[in-house]
Amino acid sequence: MDFNVKKLASGAGLFFTRAVQYTEEKLGQAEKTELDAHLENLMSRADCTKNWTEKIYRQTEVLLQPNPIDHTGARIEEFLYEKFDMKAPSRVTNAELLGLYMEGAAQEFGAATPYGSTLLKVGECEKRLGAVEKEFIQTSAISLLTPLRNFLEGDWRTISKERRLLENLRLDLDACKARLKKAKLAEAKTAVAPDLNETRPRNYVLSASASALWTEEVEKAEQDLRLAQTEFDRQAEVTRLLLEGISSTHINHLRCLHEFVEAQAAYYKHCHLHMQELQRDLGRLPDAFALNSLHSVVTPGSAAEDIGSPLEAEPLKIEEVQAPATGTRKAKVLYDYDAADSSELSLLADELITVYTVPGMDSDWLLGVLEGTQRQNYVCR
């Protein structure tokens, strides 16, 4: 118990001494030992590395998990599983969840319907995209996030600890220098030759005793200064070696960055291939827009008279029209137009139509085909 009290008192005294030295330095009342330029440059480079590494690490996390709420929940979940030495379950990506929703909607609407079958195709593609994204997240976490986190939570903490210790030893060294300086000034004052005509012997004895005490204090301060200087130099060397390891850290992070780029390139390549495959699959599905092609251009009064049911009408295919002698023309619709009768074409603003000259008919008649929806009708020019 006595040992602990003494240790506590010694620690409190040391803390107070350092606080006084630090305050006097800030007020300009005490001298400060400056570090050599090489060590200062290493510290500045290390601080820069830490700051930018932290920013890159945080933004990479945001890239892999854009939703801040999900990101926070994922970090908490990973922390809890790590504390209990358990493996975190695989998380469902947003693309996979969208694919599941689309498949569920297709089952409700009917998988045989054009909309349902398209939902199934797109849902399957989204699930594949989600699987690719999950693989990319895992690869990026191993190749880039883990090394950056290891540096911030491992190497940098060690460097910070050693730098704090170096700063404390510097304060101790400067405090020893200040104490030695004060002791030497006091010794110089008491070392003045005594007055032999002094009629009071007691004052002469006290002066001699004070001189001896200050001499002893100077010797003790010099010994403490040598010890403090040795500890400071040793700690400065340790800190310098750790800071020079930042160059190796840069090389390691460079390799990790290359691996991250490779993973990202593979991710986007697979996404592009899946989207191309989806486009091909959608192109092979029946054209559901043709079912309503004639219904949108025929008035109710002439529907039964001219073409009957829209489901029985066969839309005119562009490739079935013979190439006109005078070529084709494309026109962009400027305004919405509702067909007045079955001989006209209902149009919407900004739609694009292709106009063909029909062979065998009067040149005043043209065939307008609406691109995309394949609605067509004869239009009088």
Side-chain angles (χ1 to χ4, degrees):
M1 183 64 181
D2 294 339
F3 173 78
N4 293 334
V5 172
K6 291 180 180 179
K7 185 177 181 181
L8 181 62
S10 176
L14 187 60
F15 176 80
F16 179 76
T17 302
R18 291 171 179 173
V20 171
Q21 178 66 26
Y22 180 81
T23 303
E24 290 180 350
E25 288 177 358
K26 291 299 181 182
L27 296 176
Q29 300 175 357
E31 296 181 359
K32 177 181 177 181
T33 299
E34 299 294 339
L35 303 176
D36 61 273
H38 178 61
L39 189 58
E40 289 284 358
N41 292 333
L42 289 177
M43 288 184 176
S44 177
R45 185 164 178 255
D47 290 333
C48 183
T49 300
K50 182 261 181 182
N51 293 334
W52 285 110
T53 300
E54 194 170 37
K55 291 180 179 179
I56 293 172
Y57 175 78
R58 300 303 178 194
Q59 192 58 35
T60 304
E61 284 188 323
V62 173
L63 173 67
L64 301 179
Q65 182 57 262
N67 192 331
I69 299 178
D70 293 343
H71 173 68
T72 304
R75 290 295 302 273
I76 295 176
E77 183 181 16
E78 291 175 1
F79 175 78
L80 293 177
Y81 277 102
E82 181 179 354
K83 289 300 180 182
F84 288 104
D85 295 331
M86 299 173 60
K87 183 179 180 180
S90 178
R91 297 177 60 85
V92 179
T93 62
N94 293 328
E96 288 177 317
L97 191 59
L98 176 60
L100 293 175
Y101 289 162
M102 287 185 172
E103 290 181 349
Q107 298 299 329
E108 290 289 336
F109 300 149
T113 63
Y115 185 37
S117 59
T118 304
L119 279 174
L120 282 178
K121 290 290 184 181
V122 178
E124 292 174 359
C125 180
E126 292 295 334
K127 290 174 65 176
R128 290 195 296 269
L129 292 176
V132 173
E133 180 185 2
K134 185 182 297 183
E135 181 180 358
F136 167 62
I137 293 175
Q138 294 174 349
T139 304
S140 300
I142 296 174
S143 62
L144 184 62
L145 286 182
T146 299
L148 296 183
R149 184 173 61 247
N150 289 341
F151 168 73
L152 294 173
E153 297 180 356
D155 296 346
W156 181 252
R157 286 186 178 180
T158 302
I159 292 175
S160 299
K161 179 181 177 181
E162 298 299 329
R163 286 179 62 178
R164 287 193 299 268
L165 181 57
L166 178 64
E167 179 65 13
N168 291 335
L169 292 178
R170 185 197 64 77
L171 291 173
D172 295 341
L173 176 62
D174 289 337
C176 290
K177 289 180 178 179
R179 187 168 68 251
L180 177 60
K181 183 177 181 180
K182 292 178 181 179
K184 285 185 176 182
L185 290 176
E187 182 187 25
K189 290 181 180 180
T190 58
V192 178
D195 187 3
L196 299 178
N197 298 324
E198 176 62 49
T199 58
R200 292 175 294 181
R202 179 173 178 274
N203 292 340
Y204 177 79
V205 173
L206 290 176
S207 177
S209 176
S211 178
L213 289 175
W214 281 116
T215 301
E216 182 180 354
E217 179 66 21
V218 168
E219 294 178 354
K220 184 176 184 303
E222 289 177 347
Q223 182 180 358
D224 292 342
L225 178 60
R226 287 192 296 270
L227 180 61
Q229 185 68 54
T230 301
E231 293 180 353
F232 173 78
D233 293 340
R234 183 187 301 111
Q235 184 60 33
E237 181 66 17
V238 171
T239 306
R240 183 186 64 80
L241 293 175
L242 289 175
L243 293 175
E244 288 178 348
I246 293 294
S247 298
S248 300
T249 300
H250 285 185
I251 296 175
N252 182 39
H253 289 178
L254 175 62
R255 178 183 57 81
C256 297
L257 189 61
H258 279 280
E259 294 179 0
F260 172 72
V261 171
E262 293 295 329
Q264 197 170 27
Y267 166 65
Y268 287 120
K269 178 182 178 181
H270 291 156
C271 289
H272 181 63
L273 293 177
H274 287 316
M275 293 307 301
Q276 285 184 323
E277 183 180 356
L278 175 62
Q279 288 180 319
R280 289 193 297 267
D281 292 342
L282 294 181
R284 289 192 290 265
L285 291 177
D287 190 359
F289 299 110
L291 298 177
N292 296 324
S293 61
L294 297 179
H295 179 70
S296 61
V297 299
V298 177
T299 59
S302 60
E305 177 183 354
D306 296 330
I307 59 175
S309 173
L311 296 177
E312 299 174 359
E314 288 294 334
L316 181 64
K317 301 293 190 300
I318 296 179
E319 58 270 15
E320 295 178 358
V321 179
Q322 298 296 327
T326 58
T328 62
R329 291 179 297 171
K330 291 185 180 294
K332 184 177 181 181
V333 180
L334 298 179
Y335 309 101
D336 296 343
Y337 178 76
D338 294 329
D341 53 39
S342 60
S343 65
E344 295 183 350
L345 185 65
S346 294
L347 300 172
L348 297 176
D350 297 329
E351 288 184 323
L352 187 66
I353 63 173
T354 303
V355 182
Y356 297 87
T357 300
V358 180
M361 296 187 65
D362 187 79
S363 59
D364 291 335
W365 290 87
L366 300 176
L367 178 63
V369 180
L370 180 63
E371 294 188 353
T373 60
Q374 299 296 315
R375 291 192 282 114
Q376 68 282 317
N377 204 353
Y378 290 103
V379 182
C380 180
R381 184 173 61 182

